[in-house]
Amino acid sequence: MNDEGLTSSFTIIPPAIPSAGVYFFTTDSGVKYEVRFGRRKDNILHATIVFGVINDEFEGEEYIETNRGEVYRVMATLDKIIRMFMFEHSKVMIYEFTGVAKEDEPDEGATARLNLYKRYLPVIFPESEGWSFKFQASNAVVSKKDRL
């Protein structure tokens, strides 16, 4: 793993209103990403995080992953965005991610994105800070141990 990639991130465009929960960034290769935080209707302390590419060239495949050698900086940027959101919304105790399958992957189970989450979520949400992880089907759920 590239140490420089873990510490450097792309420039983030935060929401004009912090509670809006939609962040953007563009990689050096011109790939534009959107990171969106949604709240569950049945539990406002449960946020669903969706991120993906929003370039027109990908024809609406917002969950597509590009392989342009920028994954470390993309994940470092996602880490920074999640921490920004957590600072603004300190009461959120559950974060959910979906590992959407690519065309050649099964709809459920170990997708490339879910494998990426398994690698990076412990970095973003350290167990030493009370976070626990549950990976099932194509979802990753991170929750605060001491509050649930």
Side-chain angles (χ1 to χ4, degrees):
M1 191 181 308
N2 178 337
D3 288 336
E4 180 255 333
L6 290 175
T7 58
S8 65
S9 61
F10 296 108
T11 301
I12 297 167
I13 301 170
I17 302 168
S19 62
V22 181
Y23 299 75
F24 299 94
F25 65 94
T26 303
T27 68
D28 292 341
S29 68
V31 177
K32 297 175 186 171
Y33 282 84
E34 175 185 76
V35 180
R36 182 178 298 270
F37 294 81
R39 298 289 188 95
R40 300 285 286 265
K41 288 182 182 179
D42 61 339
N43 182 356
I44 61 169
L45 302 181
H46 184 151
T48 301
I49 302 173
V50 177
F51 82 98
V53 174
I54 57 172
N55 292 56
D56 289 338
E57 70 184 276
F58 297 107
E59 299 177 3
E61 288 290 329
E62 68 266 18
Y63 301 114
I64 196 164
E65 291 180 54
T66 65
N67 189 9
R68 298 197 177 160
E70 299 170 317
V71 69
Y72 298 120
R73 288 189 67 198
V74 166
M75 294 309 291
T77 306
L78 182 62
D79 178 357
K80 190 172 181 180
I81 288 170
I82 291 171
R83 290 177 193 279
M84 291 168 70
F85 182 86
M86 290 170 71
F87 178 79
E88 292 291 335
H89 305 88
S90 61
K91 302 289 185 201
V92 173
M93 294 293 124
I94 302 170
Y95 291 91
E96 184 173 345
F97 300 80
T98 301
V100 177
K102 294 190 260 183
E103 275 188 33
D104 60 342
E105 294 179 321
D107 287 338
E108 293 193 9
T111 64
R113 186 165 283 204
L114 195 59
N115 287 333
L116 191 63
Y117 292 154
K118 285 180 181 178
R119 182 175 181 182
Y120 280 97
L121 291 182
V123 174
I124 298 169
F125 300 93
E127 288 184 76
S128 63
E129 293 178 12
W131 294 102
S132 64
F133 308 93
K134 182 189 266 185
F135 297 95
Q136 61 188 111
S138 60
N139 289 348
V141 179
V142 183
S143 55
K144 196 73 164 180
K145 288 180 188 176
D146 59 349
R147 298 282 174 102
L148 297 176

